[in-house]
Amino acid sequence: MTEHSVDVVLPCLNEAEALPWVLARIPSGWRPLVVDNGSTDGSADIARSLGATVVPEARRGFGAACHAGLMAADAEYVCFCDCDASLDPGLLSGFVRAVAAGEADLVLGRRRPRGRGAWPAHARAGNLALSRMLRRRTGLRLHDLGPLRAMRREELLGLGLTDRRSGYPLQMVVRAADTGLRVREEDVPYLPRTGRSKVTGTWRGTWQAVRDMRTVLAEPPYAPAVVGHTEPPYAPAVPGHTEPTRGAR
């Protein structure tokens, strides 16, 4: 799909083995932004050799990498996808079409595991707990807070995202709900990742992520101070679809 201007943010930390598969599935005409978050396995060089734009981000953290990609983007639509071959970025075409058609403002991929070990039990438990907390906080009836997502760039920037760790994807959803944006889920296959997860590969990593996200959920309702966007200062924080849901304000 080339009728829309789209950048795809791909946070990357030592994903040399997965990059060829991921980049080969970026829709034609879209720009992949591989955000190198300190890789030591040659990921950045591989990404460049495959035609991707590499964005360096020295500050470690999933949110730091995602936000660096957002700030480097200049397309009308910005998508996010993990760089570990667990999710197919080609599926984002439908997400962007839904946003462009006005069917939703933020489209998320609801992960449906395919294959043994695709989604460990502890990671599923953490995701379920967060989904319930999100419902209590915003009224959104979501089942997953997965990393495959699409939204208009200007609306993303207007959310003033400040988390730079594991809470970044959750803060995006919470603030979208707080500002009355429509959030929708689409089922997507979730494959066994290539390599070991930096977050959900262990119980400790999973629950550290949950702790980061609990901090986000404890924030007061978000209200932009002004119309438009100014970059907030860096402040590190310690298949079927559902109909679009308008966030509680």
Side-chain angles (χ1 to χ4, degrees):
M1 184 177 71
T2 58
E3 65 267 27
H4 299 300
S5 169
V6 182
D7 286 332
V8 185
V9 176
L10 299 159
C12 176
L13 176 59
N14 294 329
E15 305 289 5
E17 188 177 350
L19 273 167
W21 187 93
V22 173
L23 292 174
R25 284 159 176 77
I26 299 292
S28 176
W30 294 15
R31 181 174 65 149
L33 298 173
V34 174
V35 185
D36 182 28
N37 204 205
S39 298
T40 58
D41 66 348
S43 288
D45 291 336
I46 291 172
R48 289 190 191 95
S49 73
L50 295 172
T53 298
V54 175
V55 179
E57 176 50 74
R59 297 174 297 186
R60 284 293 182 92
F62 182 76
C66 286
H67 202 70
L70 173 59
M71 298 312 297
D74 58 16
E76 181 179 2
Y77 301 92
V78 176
C79 298
F80 296 85
C81 181
D82 276 355
C83 207
D84 59 9
S86 63
L87 293 162
D88 184 349
L91 298 171
L92 289 164
S93 293
F95 289 24
V96 173
R97 281 196 294 268
V99 175
E103 298 170 6
D105 301 304
L106 170 60
V107 180
L108 309 173
R110 179 184 180 184
R111 292 169 288 184
R112 295 294 198 177
R114 299 287 190 273
R116 187 173 182 178
W119 203 355
H122 56 270
R124 292 197 204 192
N127 189 72
L128 177 61
L130 286 167
S131 295
R132 288 173 174 170
M133 288 188 283
L134 177 68
R135 184 176 300 183
R136 288 196 296 268
R137 166 65 174 76
T138 66
L140 290 176
R141 293 181 173 273
L142 300 177
H143 302 86
D144 191 13
L145 296 168
L148 196 70
R149 49 187 64 192
M151 193 172 176
R152 279 190 169 84
R153 174 176 171 272
E154 286 304 314
E155 289 186 333
L156 270 167
L157 293 173
L159 298 180
L161 301 174
T162 56
D163 191 283
R164 296 296 181 266
R165 290 186 13 171
S166 299
Y168 188 89
L170 175 62
Q171 189 179 56
M172 186 186 300
V173 175
V174 169
R175 293 193 173 188
D178 285 349
T179 54
L181 298 179
R182 296 162 301 162
V183 183
R184 176 166 118 179
E185 287 184 327
E186 294 282 357
D187 283 5
V188 296
Y190 191 45
L191 310 173
R193 61 159 289 139
T194 299
R196 188 169 184 269
S197 173
K198 288 79 176 174
V199 177
T200 58
T202 65
W203 278 97
R204 180 179 179 183
T206 297
W207 291 111
Q208 283 180 339
V210 170
R211 184 177 60 183
D212 287 347
M213 294 181 185
R214 288 177 68 94
T215 300
V216 169
L217 290 169
E219 294 176 349
Y222 177 69
V226 295
V227 175
H229 164 72
T230 56
E231 165 68 354
Y234 173 58
V238 283
H241 84 256
T242 56
E243 286 303 310
T245 306
R246 183 167 292 276
R249 302 193 69 169

